[in-house]
Amino acid sequence: MTPPASNPNLFAALRAAFPQDLDSVAVETAGGGAEPLHYTWRDLDRATAMMANLLASLKLPKGARVAVQVEKSVEAMVLYLATLRAGYVFLPLNTAYQSAEIEYFVGNAEPAVMVCTRANFGWISKIAFKAGTRHVFTLDDDRTGSLLERAAHCSDRHEVAPVAADDLAAILYTSGTTGRSKGAMLTHDNLLSNARMLKDYWGWRPGDVLIHALPIFHVHGLFVALHGALLNGSRMIWLGKFDPKLVVQKMPEATVFMGVPTLYVRMLAEPGLTREAVRNMRLFLAGSAPLLIETFNEWKDRTGHTIVERYGMSETAMLTSNPYAADARYGGQDERRGGTVGFPLPGVQLRVQGDDGTPLAVGEIGNIQVAGPNVFKGYWRMPEKTREEFTADGFFKTGDVGKIDGRGYVTIVGRSKDLIISGGYNVYPAEIEGYINELPGVAESALVGVPHPDFGEVGVAVVIPKPGATLEADAIIATLKSRLANFKIPKRCFVVNELPRNTMGKVQKNLLRDQHKGLFAGK
Ligand code: MLC
Ligand code: AMP
């Protein structure tokens, strides 16, 4: 591996990995009912240069944030790369977020630039201008919008902006267990060190082709998948939206696939998923949520491939992975074990501690804490929250609960943070309960996660009316839909008279989870 020349800008390293033949295909689009488009490496180089020149022409201050809420497209990926190239900070936003959510992120991050779809320009520009954002551009997934129009007038030559290794490359908002979302600040070095290590660990090799079917506003699609392919100079088959049939159809042309467990569950429902279809595949990776052992086994039976499950977070990028190849440390005997997330990755320190901070013995269950070059710089403008989430000796408290066995395999058994992971998206009960509690006639509420065959886990709301008030579950859901991102909407809502509480008065969510755990069984 060659270290970057002198500029630790992540883009410089990605650009250095472009293949010699710049006219070979870097990205091929698929799906959406449109003819496939082909982008060469030269196209990516020129397009990122033009967009970086556009950003540079705005004379933004150092550390300026570029907030982006657009549909997935190659141009959206170019915008990410151009932001790095120009030395600014990328702030991706889930396309499902609605106005209250956007208002918070924009108010908190104070981006200098906002990029949104044309359809949302009216309300988003209002929010952005109010927050002091000077530049609002549009970008749609059909290669139109003011961003591209403006970039078209810019030079296609651009010197990668110099940055320091610990300058910010991106801010990713992760919802908070209490209160508002926190922006995880990730540096160029956080992302590049993780990407370089994964390139080796997962054995990326010449000729690899990645099917990219994940959204590009989270760690998994934006960093793990995209950096993996780019750092290996690998072609990507680029889907704007996950479509299980299309992915299976495209598999013979590919070697690597990455997905959240829901994607694997949906592909298993495709009759076309056969050993023949996966004959050229080298590696299937899963993460962002627990992969059920049933899915792991069924995938093995159907395809002959053992999924490599790995574990990570917005704050840390990737932390552990099942082995790709047998590890000499363990006599070359390791296997990819379903139900575990594998070993701490090279350079990552991972330990399990009791609630009182004592180290736990092999096999004992406790709080997972991590350290390493991949661990973020802190939460945006939340120094106190940042301090709280680190131990005195510098380990980050993941909020995940797990154990490490004698061989070093890490298993996640639960979370100390009150969080529901639904189809790979995080839903924080405290946030949803806050919205429900503000509705007229609501005394209080509790949101719990219950098993779901497609999304793994989904939220169910239990709502208590104020004395004398009448509440309709359907009306509560309808109101939430008008205010919150769709994946945060409880799949069911129950209006009841009281919540179960322990002697301290704390709501016993475990009892509610138990009561509703069969709601979606067999659906
Ligand atoms: C969609 N819906 C969901 C949902 N996604 N509900 C719960 N959980 C989800 N994840 C709902 C919508 O609200 C809608 O409901 C209905 O499902 C159909 O919406 P859709 O947009 O058509 O859904 P679909 O395109 O099928 O999306 C499903 C999905 C998507 C699984 C493809 O959720 C997805 O791409 N998930 C991946 C998320 C991801 O990349 N996570 C990585 C985080 S990084 P209604 O009622 O309106 O019809 C991270 C770190 C790490 O965690 O370790 O990687
Ligand atoms: P996010 O904040 O969206 O980055 O989500 C990170 C969280 O996803 C982690 O703290 C874990 O709780 C969870 N997660 C990621 N990968 C896995 C996995 N393979 N198994 C179980 N949980 C996971």
Side-chain angles (χ1 to χ4, degrees):
M1 240 186 328
T2 37
S6 52
N7 183 359
N9 189 315
L10 165 62
F11 180 82
L14 300 175
R15 173 64 188 83
F18 282 16
Q20 275 204 328
D21 179 7
L22 286 179
D23 294 316
S24 57
V25 173
V27 190
E28 170 197 327
T29 61
E35 281 298 304
L37 298 169
H38 293 85
Y39 296 75
T40 64
W41 294 96
R42 194 182 303 282
D43 292 336
L44 292 189
D45 189 34
R46 292 186 55 224
T48 53
M50 290 160 86
M51 233 182 252
N53 277 323
L54 169 59
L55 293 174
S57 74
L58 303 177
K59 305 268 182 276
L60 309 174
K62 183 175 157 53
R65 279 79 58 206
V66 177
V68 178
Q69 192 199 33
V70 298
E71 296 299 330
K72 184 177 173 184
S73 67
V74 177
E75 287 67 29
M77 182 244 282
V78 165
L79 172 57
Y80 164 56
L81 297 175
T83 305
L84 295 175
R85 187 169 186 157
Y88 297 118
V89 183
F90 193 68
L91 197 165
L93 295 165
N94 193 318
T95 45
Y97 291 148
Q98 302 209 35
S99 57
E101 290 153 319
I102 296 291
E103 197 165 353
Y104 171 73
F105 295 124
V106 169
N108 187 251
E110 297 182 323
V113 177
M114 175 90 213
V115 184
C116 62
T117 61
R118 230 171 327 179
N120 291 344
F121 180 80
W123 63 269
I124 288 191
S125 59
K126 233 185 248 160
I127 290 173
F129 291 139
K130 205 173 119 201
T133 304
R134 299 264 301 277
H135 311 278
V136 182
F137 296 103
T138 59
L139 176 64
D140 279 302
D141 56 0
D142 59 357
R143 293 191 290 168
T144 61
S146 60
L147 184 78
L148 296 177
E149 285 161 20
R150 288 281 301 276
H153 298 291
C154 297
S155 161
D156 62 0
R157 303 187 75 86
H158 176 271
E159 191 86 13
V160 180
V163 298
D166 75 340
D167 279 349
L168 297 194
I171 296 179
L172 261 54
Y173 274 88
T174 76
S175 300
T177 38
T178 53
R180 307 312 300 250
S181 290
K182 303 163 289 185
M185 301 189 287
L186 292 150
T187 66
H188 285 262
D189 186 55
N190 290 150
L191 300 178
L192 183 53
S193 61
N194 207 241
R196 286 211 158 110
M197 179 272 301
L198 292 176
K199 178 177 183 306
D200 284 351
Y201 197 83
W202 291 336
W204 281 91
R205 58 171 80 142
D208 269 337
V209 176
L210 172 81
I211 298 184
H212 194 302
L214 286 162
I216 53 168
F217 39 70
H218 283 308
V219 165
H220 202 159
L222 185 65
F223 301 151
V224 192
L226 183 62
H227 294 169
L230 292 175
L231 206 52
N232 194 51
S234 273
R235 184 159 66 90
M236 280 183 274
I237 299 176
W238 186 263
L239 277 69
K241 210 173 158 4
F242 172 68
D243 170 350
K245 195 180 287 308
L246 183 60
V247 171
V248 171
Q249 240 175 48
K250 285 281 167 192
M251 261 176 206
E253 298 169 39
T255 64
V256 182
F257 179 82
M258 299 192 195
V260 301
T262 300
L263 272 50
Y264 286 94
V265 170
R266 292 188 183 182
M267 287 190 288
L268 279 166
E270 286 301 321
L273 181 75
T274 59
R275 285 179 187 238
E276 175 62 12
V278 302
R279 64 190 177 276
N280 294 323
M281 290 296 293
R282 177 176 73 76
L283 181 57
F284 288 100
L285 287 150
S288 308
L291 179 71
L292 291 182
I293 191 75
E294 292 82 3
T295 312
F296 175 88
N297 287 333
E298 205 182 329
W299 193 267
K300 203 170 184 173
D301 290 347
R302 273 280 281 290
T303 67
H305 278 270
T306 311
I307 297 174
V308 171
E309 185 175 1
R310 91 314 179 266
Y311 155 61
M313 291 184 78
S314 300
E315 288 92 335
T316 63
M318 296 302 99
L319 292 165
T320 74
S321 172
N322 268 277
Y324 169 64
D327 189 325
R329 278 180 306 171
Y330 302 102
Q333 295 299 309
D334 340 305
E335 49 185 359
R336 302 171 185 178
R337 282 202 201 155
T340 84
V341 293
F343 304 119
L345 286 159
V348 173
Q349 295 175 65
L350 184 147
R351 70 186 185 196
V352 176
Q353 284 207 340
D355 286 338
D356 58 358
T358 48
L360 295 182
V362 165
E364 284 188 331
I365 292 173
N367 302 310
I368 298 180
Q369 301 177 348
V370 295
N374 51 310
V375 175
F376 75 136
K377 209 171 170 174
Y379 292 113
W380 173 254
R381 291 183 180 163
M382 290 188 184
E384 271 179 33
K385 191 77 204 157
T386 303
R387 264 193 302 279
E388 271 170 37
E389 300 301 326
F390 281 86
T391 63
D393 61 346
F395 278 66
F396 173 62
K397 304 174 188 168
T398 63
D400 292 307
V401 172
K403 58 183 180 181
I404 309 178
D405 75 8
R407 290 280 300 284
Y409 284 90
V410 178
T411 303
I412 294 172
V413 300
R415 303 170 201 128
S416 60
K417 51 194 172 192
D418 190 10
L419 158 71
I420 298 167
I421 304 185
S422 185
Y425 287 142
N426 290 1
V427 178
Y428 280 87
E431 182 191 2
I432 318 305
E433 290 160 3
Y435 275 92
I436 298 177
N437 295 347
E438 278 173 17
L439 299 178
V442 172
E444 59 174 340
S445 63
L447 188 83
V448 292
V450 302
H452 189 275
D454 184 30
F455 293 123
E457 199 180 13
V458 293
V460 170
V462 181
V463 183
I464 317 300
K466 280 186 177 152
T470 314
L471 294 173
E472 292 290 338
D474 290 350
I476 293 173
I477 298 265
T479 311
L480 291 177
K481 275 191 178 171
S482 67
R483 298 187 187 170
L484 283 169
N486 58 12
F487 64 89
K488 295 182 189 171
I489 308 301
K491 297 287 183 221
R492 291 288 296 276
C493 177
F494 295 96
V495 177
V496 301
N497 290 328
E498 60 179 352
L499 293 172
R501 290 181 188 278
N502 64 15
T503 48
M504 311 287 288
K506 197 170 166 349
V507 177
Q508 291 175 298
K509 287 197 167 181
N510 54 328
L511 296 186
L512 291 174
R513 266 190 290 271
D514 247 21
Q515 187 186 347
H516 296 296
K517 68 179 179 211
L519 267 181
F520 301 97
K523 289 201 173 164

